[in-house]
Amino acid sequence: MPYALFMIVEKVIKTAEEDLQTKFKDVLYLSLLDHIYFAYTTWQDKQKIENPLLNEIKMFHTNEFHAALHSIAIINQALHTDFDEHEAAFLAFHYINALSNLSSLQNKTIMKDLERTVNYIDTLTDYTLDKNSYLYGRLLIHLKCLFNRLITDEKKTFDRTFMDEVSRSLKIAHGEEWEYAAKISDFMKSELHLNVSDEEAAYLTMHIVPILKQKGGK
């Protein structure tokens, strides 16, 4: 393994830590060194590997992806390569795993399930949702946290009396949004085999309410 790669990886990690405002564990150095060496030798053989998770990473992990694009710029300059966003997505996934308590398989599962759910949500409306809006971003963050809990079987404690009252109020005041949330919950249960509780559906409704109100300019 060329010595220059060690210096490049050190710079890449330091820059990524600054971009993401974090401190990675030392194990990332070895995994990133191994990956970049593999990517470099593959590139020398004039082979290109597309990343099947590119779209999911760009949509659901924008911070890690932007940090990875910065990393790719450093690598391309140092090694005179022409790595693109597909390779950036591979590096971003290393950052995602390094910052997560989940396994690599669990992170991949969450991203795939998120993509399927978001695509399903798009079919529920007869207008285009603004994917760049703050409200849509909040919905994605909520869904990511929800999938994280469901995948790891983390139990969220709810005040049953309070949530029953919230659910009744939402059904009366925001029946349309409640129906959307119910359809999304049913999709997650039937297609993704995840156990979404009524309490989680109520929280989902609260994120959908402002999105649907926004379409009318309110």
Side-chain angles (χ1 to χ4, degrees):
M1 193 176 292
Y3 176 71
L5 283 183
F6 290 82
M7 305 303 293
I8 293 170
V9 170
E10 186 174 334
K11 183 176 182 180
V12 162
I13 290 179
K14 182 178 180 180
T15 304
E17 287 179 335
E18 293 172 356
D19 290 340
L20 296 170
Q21 298 183 338
T22 189
K23 182 69 176 176
F24 292 119
K25 294 180 180 179
D26 291 340
V27 68
L28 178 64
Y29 186 95
L30 294 176
S31 64
L32 215 55
L33 182 65
D34 180 65
H35 174 80
I36 293 175
Y37 177 64
F38 170 77
Y40 182 56
T41 54
T42 301
W43 176 83
Q44 286 180 315
D45 291 336
K46 302 188 184 309
Q47 298 181 46
K48 186 174 181 180
I49 302 176
E50 294 190 353
N51 193 322
L53 292 175
L54 172 61
N55 292 331
E56 292 92 326
I57 290 174
K58 288 174 69 173
M59 179 176 290
F60 304 124
H61 295 278
T62 54
N63 291 336
E64 291 87 347
F65 183 70
H66 288 151
L69 287 174
H70 197 177
S71 301
I72 288 298
I74 294 172
I75 295 170
N76 283 340
Q77 183 179 22
L79 298 178
H80 308 292
T81 49
D82 58 355
F83 291 133
D84 57 14
E85 60 180 10
H86 283 275
E87 183 57 34
F90 282 118
L91 294 189
F93 195 65
H94 278 277
Y95 300 153
I96 293 166
N97 287 329
L99 295 171
S100 173
N101 293 323
L102 303 179
S103 69
S104 174
L105 178 59
Q106 286 174 319
N107 278 317
K108 286 181 181 178
T109 300
I110 287 174
M111 278 190 283
K112 283 296 183 183
D113 286 352
L114 267 170
E115 183 189 35
R116 292 184 64 186
T117 303
V118 168
N119 289 339
Y120 175 72
I121 290 173
D122 286 342
T123 68
L124 295 177
T125 60
D126 55 2
Y127 59 91
T128 302
L129 295 172
D130 182 2
K131 302 293 179 64
N132 296 314
S133 70
Y134 167 73
L135 293 174
Y136 191 83
R138 283 184 63 226
L139 175 63
L140 289 186
I141 291 173
H142 174 75
L143 286 172
K144 283 167 64 176
C145 293
L146 172 58
F147 276 110
N148 194 316
R149 290 195 297 274
L150 296 175
I151 291 292
T152 59
D153 200 28
E154 176 187 336
K155 303 300 182 184
K156 187 173 179 64
T157 303
F158 296 97
D159 183 319
R160 176 68 65 178
T161 302
F162 173 73
M163 288 307 300
D164 285 346
E165 182 59 35
V166 168
S167 296
R168 282 195 295 271
S169 298
L170 286 171
K171 287 178 181 178
I172 295 171
H174 302 286
E176 180 185 10
E177 292 86 348
W178 181 269
E179 288 299 320
Y180 275 117
K183 289 178 180 178
I184 296 169
S185 296
D186 288 342
F187 170 83
M188 292 167 67
K189 291 175 183 177
S190 61
E191 299 297 324
L192 306 180
H193 309 294
L194 296 171
N195 184 24
V196 184
S197 67
D198 292 340
E199 291 84 1
E200 293 285 11
Y203 273 112
L204 189 57
T205 304
M206 286 188 265
H207 283 275
I208 294 173
V209 167
I211 291 177
L212 293 190
K213 281 191 174 298
Q214 193 181 58
K215 73 175 170 56
K218 299 179 181 178

